Amino acid sequence: MGNSLRAVLAILTVAIFAVAVSSGARAMTAYDFNFVSIEGDPMPLKAYEGKALLVVNTASFCGYTPQYKSLEATWLAYKDKGLVVVGVPSDSFNQEYSDNAKIKKFCDTKYNITFPLTESNNVKGGKAHPFYQWVKERGGRDAVPSWNFNKVLIDAKGNFVQTFRSDVTPESPDLREALAKALPTSP
C-alpha cells in the first residue's frame, strides 16, 4: 500500500471521526478506527468486534522493549478467551525504526511476535493516529501515551476502559484484574 493511499485512509478516518462527533451520532467505539497492518494491509479494528483489545504503543529501542515477550505470552494465554493484543509501533519518542519492514523483522526474529502489529504511527500530539485522539477524548490527557509501551485497554463492547503506563507490565495484577473484567462473557 502506497503512502498516498495511507494518507487518504488516515484523512477519511479523521473526517468520519469529526462528522460523528459533531453530528451527535452514536458514540464511537474503538471498533470504528482503522489502522494499516505492518505488512501494509487494511487493519480495521471492527475485525475484532466483540473482543477486548489491549493496544500497546511499542518501540524497538526502549528500556521497556523486553515487554514484547510478556505481551506475546498474554496474547497466547488470552486470545481464546476473547482478547486481541494490538501492537502499534511508534517513533513518537524517537526509539523506533523508520521502516516498517525493519520493525517487523525485529519483532519476528527477536521476540517471535504473532499478535497483530500496525504500521508505525504517531501516538501523541496533533499528528496522533485518530484512535489515540479518541483515547485522549475518552480518558483525558493522562490517557495519552507518555512513553513507549503504554497500554490502552478496550472492553468487548469497544469502550475505553483505562490506560496503563509503561512500567505496568502485562503480568501486573492490576492489569490482569482489569483485563479479566474487559473480556467478553463468552468469546
Side-chain angles (χ1 to χ4, degrees):
M1 179 179 289
N3 285 338
S4 60
L5 184 53
R6 284 187 185 103
V8 169
L9 284 173
I11 290 167
L12 285 174
T13 301
V14 169
I16 291 168
F17 177 70
V19 168
V21 169
S22 67
S23 70
R26 76 165 174 82
M28 292 189 75
T29 70
Y31 306 135
D32 292 315
F33 295 97
N34 298 305
F35 284 92
V36 174
S37 76
I38 194 112
E39 295 86 5
D41 299 318
M43 187 176 159
L45 293 185
K46 187 152 189 75
Y48 308 122
E49 193 165 11
K51 297 183 182 213
L53 305 174
L54 186 63
V55 183
V56 185
N57 62 297
T58 61
S60 300
F61 305 110
C62 177
Y64 292 110
T65 301
Q67 284 189 25
Y68 265 128
K69 184 177 180 180
S70 51
L71 287 168
E72 179 68 13
T74 299
W75 160 245
L76 295 174
Y78 285 88
K79 70 180 184 175
D80 292 336
K81 296 175 183 175
L83 173 70
V84 179
V85 173
V86 177
V88 181
S90 178
D91 195 34
S92 290
F93 304 101
N94 304 310
Q95 295 188 318
E96 185 56 274
Y97 289 109
S98 59
D99 179 272
N100 288 314
K102 287 181 180 179
I103 297 168
K104 179 164 176 38
K105 183 177 180 182
F106 174 84
C107 290
D108 289 349
T109 58
K110 182 112 173 138
Y111 292 101
N112 298 310
I113 298 303
T114 62
F115 57 81
L117 293 168
T118 72
E119 67 180 359
S120 185
N121 285 278
N122 286 316
V123 298
K124 65 178 189 131
K127 293 183 180 181
H129 185 279
F131 170 82
Y132 283 96
Q133 294 176 21
W134 174 82
V135 166
K136 180 180 180 183
E137 178 186 297
R138 293 294 186 267
R141 198 177 77 214
D142 290 341
V144 175
S146 58
W147 198 245
N148 303 308
F149 290 87
N150 184 79
K151 297 146 199 83
V152 179
L153 182 59
I154 304 297
D155 71 16
K157 293 181 181 177
N159 300 310
F160 171 82
V161 175
Q162 74 183 90
T163 305
F164 296 90
R165 297 292 176 203
S166 306
D167 60 347
V168 177
T169 63
E171 55 277 321
S172 157
D174 289 344
L175 192 147
R176 291 292 170 117
E177 183 180 325
L179 182 61
K181 292 177 185 173
L183 291 172
T185 51
S186 54

